[in-house]
Amino acid sequence: MASEDPTPRPLSALDAVRSRRSVRAFTAEPVPRAVVVEILAAASRAPSGSNIQPWKVHAVAGAAREALSAELRAAHFDPTDDQAGAEYTYYPTQWFEPYLARRRKIGWDLYGLLGIAKGDREAMAHQHARNYDFFGAPVGLFFTMDRRMEQGSWLDVGMFMENVMVAARGFGLDTCPQAAFISYHRIVRRHLGIPDSDILLSGMALGHADPDAPENRLETERAPVADFTRFHGF
């Protein structure tokens, strides 16, 4: 009797998209460089205006990742550190609905799973600091592009990043895109040799989700299609 084939079956495109989520706790299981290369190669099929392919990637692991994380965490907890300063404004300066309610809900849902009480700023700060350790993931990715590019290229890099996250699912891996790093872009660019001519757009954790971590039970809601779509001519 033939033994069962142990090779994992690839996810369909729809299953990969539907199962993508932001994981905030990873195991230490390594991700081989060859797998990272395959993920990035697949992601590079993302569209871009006139095929300019504006994305650039810095991948970190091992000692390089540890050294970067150590300095980022130290800066985060040091009130006298003057290296903070965001590359760009990610969120609106004034919140409004329905976006404010959505932001608050995911925050309290996550803190509830972690047992962090409302107003416990110390616990919140420690949870935020886990960004700088890539939530325990063995691989960190940083996405940059030439800062002379315009808004269209931001869209292109966003589509490339989504491809990275979906392609990772094809290898049974998970990710978490992280804007937290832009506040310490000076530290990141010094460690990785990113020139000032490039803007740091985002970081991303890549690895195997920890199935026992309570924060990985977080399920985010999505608005129904009817809420954000208007059909014309159907």
Side-chain angles (χ1 to χ4, degrees):
M1 181 176 179
S3 60
E4 185 177 347
D5 183 359
T7 304
R9 295 289 183 255
L11 297 174
S12 71
L14 279 177
D15 285 341
V17 171
R18 288 168 176 160
S19 64
R20 189 223 62 84
R21 59 190 178 126
S22 294
V23 165
R24 294 176 176 84
F26 293 83
T27 70
E29 183 178 349
V31 176
R33 174 172 172 163
V35 171
V36 177
V37 170
E38 283 203 56
I39 289 171
L40 295 175
S44 72
R45 297 305 307 172
S48 61
S50 302
N51 195 35
I52 61 174
Q53 305 171 60
W55 46 79
K56 300 178 185 180
V57 182
H58 293 260
V60 293
R65 174 203 170 285
E66 295 298 330
L68 174 58
S69 290
E71 185 169 350
L72 288 167
R73 287 180 60 87
H76 173 71
F77 286 114
D78 183 359
T80 66
D81 192 285
D82 60 357
Q83 299 183 84
E87 277 273 62
Y88 62 92
T89 302
Y90 187 95
Y91 291 114
T93 54
Q94 287 192 320
W95 285 98
F96 49 95
E97 299 299 350
Y99 312 108
L100 177 59
R102 291 173 181 170
R103 176 177 168 83
R104 284 174 170 167
K105 176 172 173 49
I106 190 174
W108 293 123
D109 285 351
L110 174 62
Y111 292 154
L113 289 170
L114 293 170
I116 298 175
K118 187 174 182 178
D120 189 344
R121 296 187 180 278
E122 182 178 356
M124 292 178 189
H126 278 84
Q127 174 59 26
H128 186 75
R130 298 193 63 236
N131 275 282
Y132 305 122
D133 189 39
F134 302 95
F135 298 109
V139 175
L141 303 175
F142 292 93
F143 302 88
T144 70
M145 72 175 182
D146 190 304
R147 66 174 69 248
R148 293 172 294 182
M149 293 297 187
E150 294 291 351
Q151 289 175 319
S153 293
W154 289 66
L155 295 174
D156 297 340
V157 178
M159 289 185 280
F160 173 77
M161 289 178 60
E162 175 68 11
N163 269 10
V164 170
M165 293 182 276
V166 172
R169 294 298 302 126
F171 287 90
L173 299 171
D174 282 287
T175 55
C176 185
Q178 298 166 270
F181 291 105
I182 66 175
S183 294
Y184 291 104
H185 67 95
R186 295 181 182 88
I187 294 176
V188 175
R189 67 174 66 252
R190 176 160 42 78
H191 274 258
L192 305 184
I194 300 172
D196 289 338
S197 57
D198 287 355
I199 185 170
L200 175 61
L201 301 174
S202 181
M204 184 183 293
L206 171 69
H208 297 268
D210 182 349
D212 299 321
E215 55 266 53
N216 286 343
R217 296 199 301 268
L218 178 67
E219 294 187 13
T220 56
E221 297 177 355
R222 291 296 189 269
V225 171
D227 280 9
F228 58 81
T229 307
R230 296 295 176 265
F231 292 96
H232 305 268
F234 281 81

